Amino acid sequence: MGKFSRIGNELYAGRRTIDFVGRKALWYSISGFLVLAAIAIVFIKPLNFGIEFTGGTQYRVPVSTSLATQDTADALREAVAGTGVEGAASPTATTAGDDSIILQVEDLDQAESDQVVAAMQTVVDFDVADLSQDEIGASWGQEVAQRAGIGVLVFLVLVMLFIWVYFREWKMSVAAFVALAHDIMITIGIYALSGFQVTPSAVTGLLAILGFSLYDTVVVFDKVRENTHERLQSGQSYSDAANLAVNQTLVRSVNTGIVALIPIGAILYVSAVQLGASSLQDLALAQFVGMAVGVYSSIFLAPRVLVHLKSGESEIVLQERRAKARAKAQADRYASVPAFVEDMPVAAGPDDEDDEDDEQDRPVSRAAVAPPRQPEASDRGRVAPAVRGPVKQSNASGRVQPVRQTKSKRGKK
């Protein structure tokens, strides 16, 4: 068995424990710092919304099969950015099939559009009549954003109701929502820091991480409910049982996160490094960051918030007091032994056979002596009942036994 497997078994059995729930100040400080940093990043460096949300111009440049590569797209983007046109300062260019390249810029007038087309012709030789140009209005992007927001709101409401009904505990729904909001805010902050454009693919990736984050949190909460309701040990507090649940699901959460992050990380690397500004990088970045933060929140934040919300209940307070009293008693088992005082009664022992003169000189306090026991039957250790009939010696048992009478003689006295 590997070392990691042994650690997992020790965590599950409770022989090794990591205090995820007890360090409230530490985990709250880390999560609060990450959220505040994400909010500051969004204010300092706002999200770079694509033309699907802000409106703009999209060019479909026809190229030969040999030129339909990302290198050609990068050359087109650099040429357009070097024109000095304000709306074309940050263009995006991606390949579309094996015969065209799509280039997107902001809204341009006719003169600026002609200047951009001339710059593209310096890189790729094409006929202007074959160039496809589409104008994307900002109203369509606003409608997409509005519908995405409604979808997220409906999703959150349904999920919170499901968690409430399944666990029969509204505080678990609140804790899951706090962890989910934490994941979304950090993901948005890192996305803004990267400078990637916010496209419908990025919104799709953001919606996907909602399900993953809640899935991992629900697994942890299910183990918390099992430990706190079905398998609550004597003298164990709610926080101890919840912390044990997190330790028991730790290896599973880490393994699931690693398995999910490896393929998404590979897609992110290929799309961002090898393919340049690919449309896959928007989806991959949102999913990679969201899943990584989701594993963190399901382990360090959601159980801590749940225990914090439950700490005010009277039953939980009593469990906490019992657990502290039991821990104190186990720490020093002889703490309840009374200390010796001068007037403490002392029982007589075998070494107390002093001379009569000594006993007269010093008074000795002796404890009360128990009354003598009743006579017991030989070899039995119990009091024999009174005899209610004739008895005689029994050779089988070696002692006196009652004699069985016939039914006709039993009623006679």
Side-chain angles (χ1 to χ4, degrees):
M1 184 182 294
K3 182 178 180 180
F4 193 68
S5 299
R6 290 196 299 270
I7 294 175
N9 291 333
E10 292 176 356
L11 291 173
Y12 191 89
R15 294 189 297 269
R16 176 181 297 190
T17 302
I18 303 175
D19 192 4
F20 294 107
V21 176
R23 299 179 179 178
K24 176 174 62 175
L26 176 62
W27 306 131
Y28 279 171
S29 300
I30 294 176
S31 299
F33 173 77
L34 293 176
V35 171
L36 292 177
I39 295 175
I41 290 172
V42 173
F43 277 101
I44 296 174
K45 187 178 182 181
L47 292 169
N48 181 21
F49 288 96
I51 64 172
E52 294 88 354
F53 297 97
T54 61
T57 304
Q58 177 175 291
Y59 299 95
R60 192 179 188 92
V61 184
V63 296
S64 60
T65 304
S66 59
L67 295 178
T69 61
Q70 189 61 39
D71 293 336
T72 306
D74 294 338
L76 281 173
R77 183 174 64 252
E78 294 175 0
V80 172
T83 58
V85 177
E86 183 179 356
S90 300
T92 59
T94 56
T95 59
D98 56 357
D99 60 351
S100 60
I101 294 176
I102 293 179
L103 188 138
Q104 296 176 342
V105 294
E106 298 179 5
D107 286 328
L108 304 176
D109 55 24
Q110 188 60 43
E112 293 173 340
S113 178
D114 294 340
Q115 190 175 353
V116 169
V117 173
M120 289 189 293
Q121 286 181 324
T122 61
V123 179
V124 179
D125 186 15
F126 60 89
D127 190 357
V128 178
D130 297 332
L131 180 66
S132 176
Q133 180 178 346
D134 298 322
E135 299 292 336
I136 300 176
S139 59
W140 182 84
Q142 294 176 357
E143 184 179 356
V144 171
Q146 182 180 4
R147 292 186 178 182
I150 294 175
V152 171
L153 182 61
V154 172
F155 171 81
L156 293 177
V157 172
L158 292 178
V159 166
M160 291 185 66
L161 290 176
F162 169 76
I163 295 176
W164 188 356
V165 173
Y166 179 73
F167 291 107
R168 299 178 182 177
E169 179 63 71
W170 65 269
K171 294 180 180 179
M172 286 188 174
S173 298
V174 175
F177 179 79
V178 170
L180 186 59
H182 165 273
D183 300 344
I184 294 175
M185 297 179 70
I186 293 178
T187 303
I188 293 175
I190 295 179
Y191 202 95
L193 183 64
S194 68
F196 290 179
Q197 281 194 349
V198 179
T199 63
S201 299
V203 176
T204 303
L206 189 64
L207 293 175
I209 67 172
L210 301 180
F212 181 86
S213 177
L214 286 173
Y215 166 76
D216 213 16
T217 303
V218 167
V219 171
V220 176
F221 281 178
D222 190 61
K223 196 64 180 178
V224 170
R225 183 185 64 172
E226 180 182 342
N227 288 355
T228 55
H229 289 78
E230 302 174 7
R231 300 182 179 180
L232 185 64
Q233 301 176 6
S234 177
Q236 188 180 42
S237 65
Y238 187 92
S239 59
D240 294 337
N243 191 71
L244 177 60
V246 179
N247 282 270
Q248 290 174 333
T249 56
L250 176 63
V251 175
R252 180 188 182 282
S253 299
V254 172
N255 290 339
T256 304
I258 293 176
V259 170
L261 290 174
I262 288 177
I264 297 177
I267 295 174
L268 178 61
Y269 173 79
V270 171
S271 60
V273 177
Q274 296 186 348
L275 298 181
S278 173
S279 59
L280 290 176
Q281 70 180 8
D282 309 330
L283 175 65
L285 178 63
Q287 288 191 342
F288 186 86
V289 176
M291 288 185 178
V293 178
V295 173
Y296 165 81
S297 65
S298 64
I299 296 175
F300 296 95
L301 183 60
R304 177 59 256 176
V305 174
L306 176 62
V307 172
H308 185 83
L309 294 175
K310 297 279 292 184
S311 60
E313 298 182 4
S314 57
E315 182 179 355
I316 304 302
V317 173
L318 291 176
Q319 291 179 0
E320 190 74 23
R321 291 177 180 175
R322 296 192 194 102
K324 290 182 178 179
R326 184 180 180 89
K328 184 178 180 181
Q330 291 180 348
D332 187 3
R333 298 183 179 181
Y334 300 100
S336 59
V337 177
F340 176 78
V341 293
E342 293 295 336
D343 296 335
M344 176 179 290
V346 180
D351 297 333
D352 293 337
E353 298 178 357
D354 300 328
D355 296 334
E356 294 181 357
D357 296 339
D358 295 338
E359 291 180 356
Q360 293 177 359
D361 294 340
R362 58 179 180 87
V364 178
S365 300
R366 298 182 181 275
V369 181
R373 299 179 62 181
Q374 297 293 332
E376 300 177 353
S378 59
D379 300 332
R380 286 301 175 187
R382 64 179 180 84
V383 178
V387 179
R388 294 183 296 178
V391 296
K392 69 176 183 179
Q393 184 69 24
S394 173
N395 296 329
S397 61
R399 60 181 180 178
V400 177
Q401 292 281 21
V403 179
R404 182 177 179 84
Q405 295 177 316
T406 61
K407 183 180 290 187
S408 59
K409 295 182 179 180
R410 290 177 192 172
K412 297 181 180 180
K413 296 182 181 179

